[in-house]
Structures are given as structure tokens and as C-alpha cells.
């Protein structure tokens, strides 16, 4: 089957390519890119992409698909539909499932379920410690050979320095990145939201930015000492961004991600949305939001990753202190990125696309992230000017925990192709 995407604005950051062009897909592969002569334009499907961006399929290296263990929140199948609707063709799952992804057997079952039921490519991380308890290392070597693309106890930090040091040494030997959720649990205790004016007003103990920054500093030193590749997840504080900036300058092998909620909204959203705006790390201040955006702009933060963290409506109806942390993010990522970074002039469209494609692919050594002849036809069409209003009830995710409900956004993924198959298409 031949599909022709005609006359779009083709952006391929990996090749420094940005121009109006056609893209021809056949049997799951990209066969031609460029101004195609009439005689090879014959195709079973022709998509008029005038006014649309044609970019490599987006890659999200931080999602929670909740299998095994919590299928009421999300399944690998439902999460993959949310990914496709958000323009993503590949995702990396986090291991805080039940059981945790801490054995080769569990990892293999997740990857198999991905191949069986997902409409996008599903990759997975594996836990650093058994049961994500921070006490005993997993068999990282076996997990690596079973397909783990990174190691993380996401949702928690391995606080014990002797254990995490061993993990870094093993990761360096295997050449696999450690993805670090940075939070010193001894300092961050009962808080639900950022420690500051809003937490004081609501009588919440607050989550100190220092808890995140201490662990960023520690892990940067561990990466420097062991030579391991470190990827810092969901950086939320201005000083956290600065620590990474300085470490990069002195040559530490570190990459980092910014999440859409951390570059677009502050902890004031808690006043409006309550527990729906409870996330870990928490929404911070306007100064932190600006710092995350600047970090993305100057390359301190390499990727945009959603930390898609679905929870049921019943759980999110609990009082702020008891409700779980997390918000869904796959279906709002492109809209938030264009509205808050691209259309504001903070980030060029090429840089935004790179941070959603080739950068995450390189960090996790994943295929994809680029458009080239002969490559797998993972392709996303984005309407950069489509105006829409966020309606969580319309999400493809099983969950609707989202503090962007009612927000007007400009920019949306409108079609997603995985290996040449259309897995999402929006009515135009
Ligand atoms: C994550 C989840 O729900 O799994 N939640 C979140 O707020 N990011 C785990 C976590 O990082 O706490």
C-alpha cells in the first residue's frame, strides 16, 4: 500500500531539513522524500498536508501505562491510543507497576503486551531496585538483555548512596542510562504541593524544591564519578535547571527532560483544580516555569517528556493530602508545547520537534526520531495553528485527571502513522 503525504512543511531536525515537500510511504517504510515528480505520485491514499507540519513520529520517554496491576487507570492498549492521539509513535513505560517491572519475566510480558495490543511502539524501563523499595538492586544485566532501555525507580528515589552508586557503576558498564526521579524522601515528607505561598494558604506542609535539587546534585556527582550516562526526569525547579547547566559545561554525561505541565502552569492551578493539579515533582512558581522553558531553549533540558500519569476519577476526588500524584499528558503535549513555547517565540519549531523526536531517540537508543528514505514510516502530522479547547472527557486515555480542562490551546497532532499505518486521524 502506498500513501502519499503531499505538500506539507517537512521538518526533520536530525537531517537539518525544513522545507515544503512530499513524503511517500510504502509497505511500512518511507520510500521517497522531496518534490516528487507526477509519475511517482500514484498512491492508494493521498493526504493533502498543505498548512501542516510533517515530522518524525513523536517519542515520549516517560509514560505510566499501569500494566501490570492497575488496568482501571490505564492499560498498555488504552495508553497507546492516547499516545497515538497525541502524535506519539513510540513510548517508554515506567516500572512502578504492580508487580514492579523488576524482573526479566515481567519486563518481557510488558513488551509482549505492547507488541500484541498497542498501536504504537512500546519500550520499557526497568526498576533499579526490587519492588522500587530502594533496598536491593535488581538484576540489571538480565533486565538489560531482556530489553530495558533505561533503569529508574521513577516515583521514588534510591536514597541510599551505596546502592545507587552500584547501580551507576553497572549502568556505566552496560552503557545504559540511569533515569533519575530526584526527590530526597527524608526532606520531602507529607507535602502534596510546592512549598510556598499557596501551600501555606492551604495548610499543606509543602514539598521543598531543595528535596529535588539535593538529589539532582548527588546524581550529577555520581555520573561524573562513574562515567555513567544520567538522564534527569521532570526537572521542575530553577536551581535544578542551573545545576544541570553547570554540570553539562564541565562535561558530565547528563541529559534531562522538561514536562509540559512544568513549563506551562504554576502551583496556583491547585486553587482552581485541587488534586487534579497534584503531581510529583509539584507545579512550582512562575520563576521555575520560566527556568524550565529557558532550560529547554538553551539545550540544558534535551527533551520534552509528558510523565503521563493516569489515575481514576475516584482517587483524584480524595482530599488533596490523600489523592495520588500525577496527571495525564499525552494528548495535551503538542498543544502545550506550541502554545507556551513555539508561539511565544521561546523555542523554534525545529528545536521543539527535535526535543520530541531525535533527542529522546538518541538518549534511549531507540529506532526512529528521524525521517529518511528506507526508515520505518513513523510520521506525525501537526497543525501548528489549530485552536482547540482541552476536554478531558474526549481523551483516548482511560483517565481524565488533567488540570488543563477548558484551556484554549493552539497546535495539535492531527494524524499519526506507525510503520505506515494510520493509527490516529482527526477530522479536519
Ligand atoms: C507518578 C505516577 O503516578 O506513577 N506520578 C507523578 O506525579 N509523576 C509517579 C511519580 O513520579 O510520583
Amino acid at each position: 500500500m502506498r500513501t502519499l503525504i503531499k505538500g506539507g512543511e517537512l521538518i526533520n531536525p536530525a537531517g537539518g531539513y525544513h522545507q515544503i515537500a512530499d513524503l511517500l510511504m510504502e509497505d511500512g517504510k518511507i520510500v521517497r522524500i522531496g518534490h516528487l515528480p507526477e509519475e511517482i505520485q500514484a498512491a492508494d491514499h493521498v493526504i493533502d498536508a498543505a498548512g501542516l507540519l510533517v515530522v518524525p513520529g513523536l517519542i515520549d520517554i516517560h509514560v505510566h501505562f499501569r500494566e501490570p496491576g492497575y488496568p482501571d487507570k490505564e492499560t498498555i492498549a488504552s495508553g497507546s491510543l492516547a499516545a497515538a492521539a497525541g502524535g506519539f509513535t513510540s513510548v517508554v513505560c515506567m516500572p512502578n507497576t504492580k508487580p514492579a517491572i523488576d524482573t526479566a519475566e515481567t519486563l518481557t510480558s510488558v513488551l509482549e503486551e505492547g507488541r500484541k495490543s498497542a498501536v504504537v511502539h512500546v519500550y520499557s524501563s526497568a526498576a533499579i531496585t526490587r519492588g522500587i523499595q530502594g533496598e536491593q538492586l535488581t538484576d540489571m544485566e538480565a533486565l538489560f538483555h531482556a530489553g530495558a532501555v533505561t533503569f529508574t525507580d521513577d516515583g521514588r528515589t534510591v536514597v541510599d548512596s551505596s546502592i545507587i552508586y552500584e547501580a551507576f557503576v553497572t549502568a556505566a558498564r552496560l552503557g545504559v542510562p540511569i533515569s533519575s526521579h530526584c526527590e530526597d524522601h527524608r526532606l520531602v515528607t507529607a507535602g502534596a504541593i510546592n512549598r510556598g505561598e499557596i501551600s501555606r494558604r492551604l495548610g499543606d506542609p509543602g514539598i521543598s524544591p531543595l528535596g529535588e535539587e539535593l538529589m539532582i546534585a548527588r546524581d550529577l556527582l555520581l555520573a561524573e564519578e562513574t562515567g555513567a550516562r544520567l538522564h534527569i526526569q521532570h526537572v521542575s525547579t530553577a536551581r535544578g535547571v542551573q545545576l544541570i547547566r553547570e554540570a553539562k559545561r564541565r562535561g558530565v554525561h547528563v541529559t534531562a527532560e522538561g514536562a509540559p505541565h512544568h513549563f506551562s502552569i504554576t502551583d496556583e492551578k491547585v486553587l482552581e483544580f485541587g488534586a487534579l493539579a497534584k503531581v510529583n515533582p509539584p507545579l512550582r512558581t512562575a520563576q521555575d516555569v520560566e527556568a524550565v522553558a529557558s532550560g529547554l531553549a538553551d539545550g540544558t533540558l534535551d527533551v520534552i517528556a509528558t510523565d503521563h500519569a493516569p489515575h481514576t476519577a475516584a482517587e483524584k476526588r480524595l482530599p488533596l493530602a490523600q489523592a495520588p500524584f500525577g496527571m495525564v499528558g499525552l494528548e495535551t503535549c503538542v498543544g502545550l508545547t506550541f502554545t507556551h513555547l513555539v508561539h511565544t517565540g521561546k523555542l523554534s519549531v525545529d528545536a521543539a520537534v527535535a526535543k520530541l523526536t531525535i533527542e529522546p531517540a538518541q538518549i534511549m537508543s531507540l529506532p526512529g526520531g528521524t525521517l529518511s528514505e528506507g526508515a520505518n514510516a513513523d510520521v506525525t502530522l501537526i497543525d501548528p495553528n489549530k485552536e482547540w479547547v482541552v476536554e478531558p472527557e474526549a481523551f483516548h486515555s482511560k483517565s481524565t485527571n488533567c488540570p488543563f480542562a477548558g484551556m484554549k490551546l493552539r497546535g495539535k497532532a492531527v494524524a499519526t502513522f506507525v510503520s505506515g499505518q494510520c493509527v490516529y486521524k482527526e477530522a479536519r
Side-chain angles (χ1 to χ4, degrees):
M1 199 183 57
R2 282 159 74 95
T3 303
L4 177 69
I5 300 175
K6 200 171 155 48
E9 186 174 337
L10 208 130
I11 302 177
N12 185 31
Y17 190 97
H18 186 156
Q19 61 190 73
I20 304 290
D22 310 316
L23 183 149
L24 185 66
M25 306 188 267
E26 186 166 16
D27 300 331
K29 303 280 180 211
I30 297 173
V31 288
R32 290 290 288 268
I33 292 173
H35 295 282
L36 302 187
E38 221 41 63
E39 62 271 20
I40 62 165
Q41 287 200 9
D44 306 291
H45 292 288
V46 179
I47 296 166
D48 175 11
L52 303 181
L53 309 180
V54 181
V55 305
L58 308 183
I59 299 175
D60 188 353
I61 58 175
H62 194 148
V63 303
H64 296 270
F65 278 1
R66 307 301 191 200
E67 271 190 301
Y70 308 99
D72 289 355
K73 299 176 194 251
E74 196 81 283
T75 61
I76 291 171
S78 67
S80 82
L81 293 172
F88 292 91
T89 57
S90 296
V91 296
V92 175
C93 294
M94 292 297 113
N96 61 340
T97 48
K98 196 173 163 194
I101 305 175
D102 62 357
T103 63
E105 197 188 353
T106 307
L107 173 63
T108 302
S109 71
V110 166
L111 297 176
E112 266 171 18
E113 183 62 21
R115 280 190 288 273
K116 210 172 73 195
S117 71
V119 299
V120 303
H121 307 292
V122 173
Y123 301 94
S124 186
S125 60
I128 297 171
T129 66
R130 292 198 207 164
I132 314 202
Q133 293 300 306
E135 284 158 12
Q136 283 173 298
L137 285 183
T138 55
D139 186 344
M140 291 174 64
E141 183 138 8
L143 284 158
F144 175 68
H145 292 302
V149 298
T150 185
F151 287 89
T152 177
D153 272 7
D154 182 45
R156 299 185 61 78
T157 294
V158 182
V159 174
D160 187 319
S161 299
S162 66
I163 295 174
I164 193 65
Y165 176 78
E166 276 310 310
F168 271 76
V169 169
T170 306
R173 180 166 55 78
L174 297 173
V176 65
I178 294 275
S179 293
S180 193
H181 168 114
C182 293
E183 180 181 10
D184 190 332
H185 305 292
R186 296 161 302 190
L187 200 71
V188 172
T189 48
I193 60 172
N194 182 48
R195 182 173 296 169
E197 199 195 311
I198 310 280
S199 68
R200 278 191 291 278
R201 221 194 293 174
L202 297 179
D204 183 82
I207 299 174
S208 153
L210 186 62
E212 181 174 340
E213 294 153 358
L214 279 173
M215 284 299 160
I216 292 178
R218 182 200 71 173
D219 286 356
L220 289 169
L221 292 177
L222 284 167
E224 191 164 22
E225 181 72 18
T226 60
R229 281 197 292 139
L230 167 64
H231 176 71
I232 299 186
Q233 300 176 301
H234 42 46
V235 182
S236 75
T237 84
R239 189 156 56 172
V241 175
Q242 184 57 20
L243 285 165
I244 297 164
R245 186 175 285 127
E246 287 162 8
K248 281 193 163 183
R249 275 194 202 127
R250 62 175 199 272
V252 180
H253 292 159
V254 61
T255 56
E257 69 196 31
H261 46 273
H262 289 134
F263 63 66
S264 45
I265 50 176
T266 68
D267 54 357
E268 289 199 13
K269 278 278 170 198
V270 177
L271 299 175
E272 191 184 342
F273 283 95
L276 289 177
K278 177 176 176 180
V279 63
N280 196 9
L283 302 174
R284 306 264 190 199
T285 65
Q287 189 205 345
D288 297 308
V289 167
E290 212 35 63
V292 171
S294 305
L296 286 164
D298 73 7
T300 301
L301 306 183
D302 307 79
V303 310
I304 295 170
T306 68
D307 192 9
H308 177 82
H311 292 291
T312 62
E315 290 169 297
K316 280 293 196 178
R317 269 196 299 271
L318 292 169
L320 191 59
Q322 280 112 54
F325 289 95
M327 51 184 68
V328 291
L330 283 164
E331 294 172 75
T332 45
C333 178
V334 166
L336 292 166
T337 300
F338 275 78
T339 305
H340 292 277
L341 299 179
V342 177
H343 294 313
T344 53
K346 291 179 185 170
L347 200 62
S348 71
V349 66
D350 293 66
V353 171
K355 285 173 193 298
L356 287 162
T357 57
I358 188 64
E359 299 274 4
Q362 284 178 345
I363 292 166
M364 297 299 164
S365 307
L366 305 179
T370 180
L371 296 175
S372 53
E373 293 177 357
N376 217 24
D378 292 349
V379 182
T380 298
L381 304 191
I382 293 174
D383 182 341
N385 291 313
K386 186 180 173 93
E387 295 190 356
W388 60 290
V389 176
V390 179
E391 285 173 42
E393 296 310 321
F395 286 164
H396 295 70
S397 170
K398 273 198 176 184
S399 292
T400 55
N401 51 307
C402 169
F404 298 102
M407 189 183 269
K408 264 199 196 146
L409 297 178
R410 178 150 75 101
K412 198 169 197 301
V414 292
T416 309
F417 295 85
V418 173
S419 305
Q421 291 280 350
C422 183
V423 292
Y424 177 74
K425 188 167 191 311
E426 175 131 331
R428 276 182 93 184

